[in-house]
Amino acid sequence: MSDLFVHPTAEVDKTAHIGSGTRIWNQAQVRNDAIIGENCVISKNAYIDEYVRIGDRVKVQNNVNVYHGVTIEDDVFLGPSMTFTNDMFPRSFNSSWKITKTNVKKGASIGANATIVCGVTIGEYATIGAGSVVTKDVPEHALVAGNPARRIGWVCRCGFELDDAGRCTECGEEYDLKRWEKDE
């Protein structure tokens, strides 16, 4: 684990696997058997539950909760105070509850204070607007916002919006929107 940094106030279980170049900041908690890839940033007060899988180059901002059953692929951004859920029928007294899995695909970005309800897949390079509540799958490159989150546009790999012809307003890359619209 070369170049690994763990702040003295962070709590990292000895069974967690942390990739080189990853930085875990103050008051973060990483539980048993979690896997965090290389060159990640786990910011202040983040909670990474047991058995969570996080890919390489993922940025987990302050106060983010990543619960058991969540898998996060490479190059994902998790905005401040966003959270995942993992139980479709929560009750404090239910001893037989079941984890419902959630997948966040490569390059996706989730805005501040968003809530991702378990059982969904967020597609590659999708963007979730701040404060959104995601209750169903999000297609790749989709821009979604609201409660419940609905598609309001499409985004480029670079993160900027696509125009109606599928051309990025920032870098000029072009996409075939019809390919994604069929997945909605």
Side-chain angles (χ1 to χ4, degrees):
M1 283 197 240
S2 63
D3 300 327
L4 170 64
F5 170 81
V6 177
H7 191 275
T9 64
E11 183 181 327
V12 178
D13 189 274
K14 64 183 177 184
T15 64
H17 301 278
I18 314 295
S20 69
T22 290
R23 303 177 70 72
I24 301 175
W25 289 100
N26 44 318
Q27 300 171 330
Q29 182 180 16
V30 180
R31 299 234 3 239
N32 56 292
D33 299 302
I35 296 175
I36 299 174
E38 296 181 355
N39 300 309
C40 294
V41 176
I42 309 299
S43 298
K44 179 181 179 186
N45 203 41
Y47 176 76
I48 311 299
D49 204 358
E50 60 184 358
Y51 307 110
V52 164
R53 303 293 181 259
I54 296 177
D56 297 333
R57 298 170 305 280
V58 172
K59 291 185 179 177
V60 179
Q61 297 296 292
N62 295 352
N63 305 309
V64 169
N65 298 300
V66 185
Y67 294 111
H68 184 186
V70 176
T71 299
I72 299 169
E73 294 184 3
D74 297 342
D75 302 312
V76 168
F77 176 85
L78 303 178
S81 300
M82 67 78 47
T83 195
F84 292 93
T85 68
N86 67 355
D87 185 356
M88 290 298 291
F89 308 99
R91 290 287 186 260
S92 65
F93 53 82
N94 185 356
S95 61
S96 63
W97 67 281
K98 295 179 178 113
I99 290 183
T100 302
K101 295 183 178 184
T102 299
N103 295 304
V104 182
K105 299 293 190 176
K106 179 180 176 68
S109 292
I110 302 175
N113 292 306
T115 299
I116 310 303
V117 175
C118 55
V120 302
T121 296
I122 297 173
E124 288 189 359
Y125 303 105
T127 298
I128 311 303
S132 297
V133 177
V134 176
T135 60
K136 63 182 183 176
D137 290 350
V138 176
E140 64 180 288
H141 291 271
L143 171 60
V144 301
N147 181 2
R150 290 177 170 50
R151 188 182 65 75
I152 60 170
W154 299 104
V155 292
C156 179
R157 184 175 186 270
C158 75
F160 286 83
E161 261 191 284
L162 303 179
D163 64 19
D164 291 339
R167 184 179 175 90
C168 179
T169 57
E170 179 69 14
C171 74
E173 189 168 346
E174 295 183 18
Y175 295 86
D176 178 9
L177 297 180
K178 289 179 183 147
R179 185 183 91 174
W180 298 328
E181 288 169 347
K182 70 179 174 64
D183 292 336
E184 288 189 285

